[in-house]
Amino acid sequence: MRVYISIDMEGVAGIATMDQVVRGGHGYPRSQRLMTAEANAAIEGAFAAGADSVLVNDSHGTMDNLLHEELDPRARLIFGTPKLDCMAEGISAEHDVAMFLGYHAAAGSPGVLAHTYSSHFYEVRLNGRPVSEAEVNALQAAAVGVPVGLLTGDDVICGVADKAFPGVRTVAVKVAHGHTAADSLSPAEAGRLIREAAAETVRGAGKLTPLRLPEVFELEIDMPSTPAAELGAQIPGVRRIADKTLAGTFATPTEVLGCVTVCYHLAADAMISRMALYGRR
């Protein structure tokens, strides 16, 4: 039994503010410890239930957040950015089940720190519907035949997963009270629930089925500025359908994630350049 874990930070218990999730914030080092503890809880649960291997993909921001020296030594870790498959980097047909930990709701949703891949994207749509990172990453898992068996995060993204992923287990470690406010479980209680859910997921993995893939993937991204959209339109196969909106038609989730990754960096560079101008006196 081989387990794949993609772990983000915004959906971890005890985290709700920007200061906590951005490197350099006073709360960020504490968030690293909380994120690492939830990863360890899932790893422990997976191995206790008979997993042979666990691969963890650090999926937040710069993707080098987990404290390596504190991570369960039985797991392997993928970290660093950019990665072509982004938050789904490393998943393959060799895996039996995927777990998405610390996830959050989509851009425009009422969840804690809700966004889709980039805080600079106003919205990301797939086949005409706004989507979360969890839904896109689940399609990448499905492309290699892997079902999503567990998702943890706030109540908003857990509600999305309950409807979108057949047979999934969810652990809502907090309830959204706004974009940067939450009613959270204690880290210890969240860890206990995640550990138990991970074990149950491994035991029941054989009954899970991957998502059904659509024939084509019509991607739309609302960029943060006109210059960012102008640059994004230079990506082969991508067109600009509105002042700040890019669109492309893709055959696989990997192509979708590749486009998202490039647009992510274009959006960030555009906003950094603009903020430098705003800061002038």
Side-chain angles (χ1 to χ4, degrees), residues 21-58:
V21 298
V22 176
R23 187 177 297 279
H26 294 295
Y28 174 75
R30 175 173 167 271
S31 296
Q32 288 182 281
R33 295 193 296 273
L34 294 174
M35 181 182 179
T36 304
E38 289 200 2
N40 280 337
I43 295 166
E44 182 180 344
F47 278 114
D52 299 302
S53 68
V54 175
L55 176 65
V56 180
N57 181 32
D58 189 327

Side-chain angles (χ1 to χ4, degrees), residues 3 9 15 28 61 63 73 76 95-96 121-122 133 158-159 165 167 204 213 221 229 243 250 258 268 270-271:
V3 176
M9 182 179 279
I15 295 175
Y28 174 75
M63 300 187 175
R76 293 189 63 86
H95 292 107
D96 298 286
F121 293 160
Y122 289 112
E133 297 166 1
C158 285
F165 308 150
L213 295 173
I221 300 176
D243 182 50
F250 301 101
M271 293 305 293

Side-chain angles (χ1 to χ4, degrees), residues 14 19 28 34 36 73 78 82 93 101 121 137 146 153 177 200 215-217 226 231 234-235 250 262 274-275:
D19 178 71
Y28 174 75
L34 294 174
T36 304
I78 298 176
L101 309 180
F121 293 160
N137 296 335
V146 181
H177 278 222
E200 292 169 358
E215 293 183 6
V216 296
F217 300 87
T226 299
L231 288 172
Q234 305 309 307
I235 301 170
F250 301 101
V262 173
R274 178 170 289 189
M275 292 307 295

Side-chain angles (χ1 to χ4, degrees), residues 105-111 113-116 118-119 121-124 130-131 156 179:
S109 297
L113 296 167
H115 64 280
T116 305
S118 169
S119 59
F121 293 160
Y122 289 112
E123 191 171 78
V124 175
V131 288
V156 179
H179 187 72

Side-chain angles (χ1 to χ4, degrees), residues 166-190:
V168 73
R169 286 178 172 80
T170 58
V171 177
V173 301
K174 55 192 170 189
V175 175
H177 278 222
H179 187 72
T180 52
D183 174 351
S184 177
L185 295 176
S186 73
E189 178 64 5

Side-chain angles (χ1 to χ4, degrees), residues 2-276:
R2 297 189 177 189
V3 176
Y4 175 85
I5 293 175
S6 170
I7 182 166
D8 207 346
M9 182 179 279
E10 288 89 350
V12 169
I15 295 175
T17 70
M18 291 298 295
D19 178 71
Q20 292 178 285
V21 298
V22 176
R23 187 177 297 279
H26 294 295
Y28 174 75
R30 175 173 167 271
S31 296
Q32 288 182 281
R33 295 193 296 273
L34 294 174
M35 181 182 179
T36 304
E38 289 200 2
N40 280 337
I43 295 166
E44 182 180 344
F47 278 114
D52 299 302
S53 68
V54 175
L55 176 65
V56 180
N57 181 32
D58 189 327
S59 298
H60 174 70
T62 54
M63 300 187 175
D64 59 347
N65 310 278
L66 291 167
L67 300 174
H68 297 205
E69 67 276 17
E70 295 182 13
L71 195 68
D72 190 314
R74 293 172 291 180
R76 293 189 63 86
L77 174 65
I78 298 176
F79 64 100
T81 187
K83 308 168 186 165
L84 179 59
D85 289 333
C86 197
M87 298 176 71
E89 183 74 21
I91 196 165
S92 73
E94 295 182 349
H95 292 107
D96 298 286
V97 67
M99 301 180 186
F100 294 166
L101 309 180
Y103 270 53
H104 53 80
S109 297
V112 177
L113 296 167
H115 64 280
T116 305
Y117 291 104
S118 169
S119 59
H120 301 311
F121 293 160
Y122 289 112
E123 191 171 78
V124 175
R125 295 175 294 280
L126 201 58
N127 294 340
R129 185 177 63 84
V131 288
S132 65
E133 297 166 1
E135 291 164 283
V136 179
N137 296 335
L139 290 171
Q140 175 66 346
V144 292
V146 181
V148 178
L150 173 64
L151 181 140
T152 74
D154 72 7
D155 61 313
V156 179
I157 190 59
C158 285
V160 171
D162 284 333
K163 295 178 181 178
F165 308 150
V168 73
R169 286 178 172 80
T170 58
V171 177
V173 301
K174 55 192 170 189
V175 175
H177 278 222
H179 187 72
T180 52
D183 174 351
S184 177
L185 295 176
S186 73
E189 178 64 5
R192 182 185 70 80
L193 293 174
I194 291 170
R195 189 177 304 108
E196 292 177 355
E200 292 169 358
T201 298
V202 168
R203 295 188 189 103
K207 299 178 182 178
L208 297 170
T209 57
L211 291 182
R212 180 178 296 179
L213 295 173
E215 293 183 6
V216 296
F217 300 87
E218 299 283 353
L219 175 68
E220 294 181 5
I221 300 176
D222 293 334
M223 299 291 277
S225 67
T226 299
E230 290 174 340
L231 288 172
Q234 305 309 307
I235 301 170
V238 173
R239 59 195 186 277
R240 188 172 164 211
I241 61 173
D243 182 50
K244 299 176 184 177
T245 302
L246 300 175
T249 302
F250 301 101
T252 67
T254 293
E255 293 177 0
V256 170
L257 286 170
C259 182
V260 167
T261 298
V262 173
C263 288
Y264 174 101
H265 289 281
L266 290 176
D269 288 344
M271 293 305 293
I272 290 170
S273 298
R274 178 170 289 189
M275 292 307 295

